[in-house]
Amino acid sequence: MKNEHKHHKKFQTAANSITLLRIVGSIGLLFPAPMSPLFLGIYTLTGLTDVLDGWLARKTGTTSDFGARLDSMADLVFYAVMLIRFLPVLREALPLHIWYAVAGVLLVRLSAYCTAAIKYRRFASVHTYLNKLTGTAVFLLPYIFIISSGVTYAWAVCALACAASLEELAIHLCRKSYCADIKTILKIKTDKA
């Protein structure tokens, strides 16, 4: 009984609760009109939880493989909801040729995920600096579209996302075992596993 309580407690950290809040907030974005004040408010709070959960887990020493997987799952839910809610806004605002670049980036990203799934037999996403920077740049898109057409910014985000995806693919190709906390391919350590 004591061991079961300890196991259950492992999953109920404050950081994991904040990550779960991000999932709930992401689902909440399905209801208000895109770009409305309510949408942007929920969107902003959801983004803050993304920053806060990892920071809190590191500060409290409660980082775990489960927390990293939950964080990746929350990111996927958030991006799926944003595709549903924000993609129509982007389709109207951005020229057709940028969508070819987006498709190329998505193919590289999918290649990285497939490579990881085959090598490590699990979903694997690496928390590199470029991935974090790309996430921040993508997150800022709605705010950019409030103040400008966003086309130049969207091209810059595509270039950054492509670099991040290529780096992640290269990391998966170079490593024999999975490690989520590789910050850059420039400091990759080879492993014996």
Side-chain angles (χ1 to χ4, degrees):
M1 185 71 156
K2 194 175 195 180
N3 192 22
E4 183 181 313
H5 178 68
K6 190 186 232 182
H7 180 71
H8 184 67
K9 193 173 183 177
K10 173 181 156 185
F11 299 111
Q12 290 187 334
T13 66
N16 290 346
S17 297
I18 291 170
T19 305
L20 288 171
L21 184 60
R22 181 159 81 255
I23 293 171
V24 171
S26 296
I27 293 167
L29 288 169
L30 289 169
F31 303 103
M35 307 304 286
S36 68
L38 180 59
F39 178 90
L40 289 172
I42 295 170
Y43 183 83
T44 301
L45 289 173
T46 302
L48 290 174
T49 64
D50 192 19
V51 174
L52 186 59
D53 62 357
W55 175 84
L56 187 61
R58 286 185 296 279
K59 277 291 193 201
T60 60
T62 56
T63 58
S64 67
D65 189 47
F66 174 78
R69 286 185 190 193
L70 187 63
D71 185 64
S72 293
M73 178 64 74
D75 290 343
L76 289 173
V77 170
F78 175 77
Y79 285 122
V81 169
M82 289 310 295
L83 280 174
I84 294 166
R85 300 302 287 160
F86 196 57
L87 187 60
V89 174
L90 291 177
R91 275 198 358 235
E92 285 183 28
L94 297 175
L96 179 61
H97 53 277
I98 202 167
W99 295 106
Y100 294 122
V102 170
V105 170
L106 291 175
L107 281 175
V108 175
R109 178 62 61 174
L110 184 60
S111 298
Y113 288 151
C114 288
T115 300
I118 292 166
K119 281 186 89 168
Y120 314 133
R121 292 178 172 39
R122 62 173 283 178
F123 173 78
S125 180
V126 184
H127 301 149
T128 63
Y129 293 130
L130 281 178
N131 275 340
K132 289 180 185 292
L133 191 58
T134 300
T136 301
V138 169
F139 181 77
L140 293 175
L141 272 169
Y143 305 110
I144 298 300
F145 277 89
I146 290 172
I147 57 175
S148 76
S149 71
V151 175
T152 303
Y153 183 78
W155 276 115
V157 171
C158 272
L160 182 60
C162 185
S165 298
L166 286 168
E167 180 184 47
E168 182 158 344
L169 177 59
I171 288 169
H172 291 317
L173 290 171
C174 291
R175 289 197 47 94
K176 292 179 183 166
S177 63
Y178 175 62
C179 177
D181 291 325
I182 295 172
K183 300 302 180 195
T184 175
I185 196 163
L186 300 176
K187 294 187 178 182
I188 192 170
K189 295 177 183 171
T190 57
D191 53 349
K192 308 282 187 211

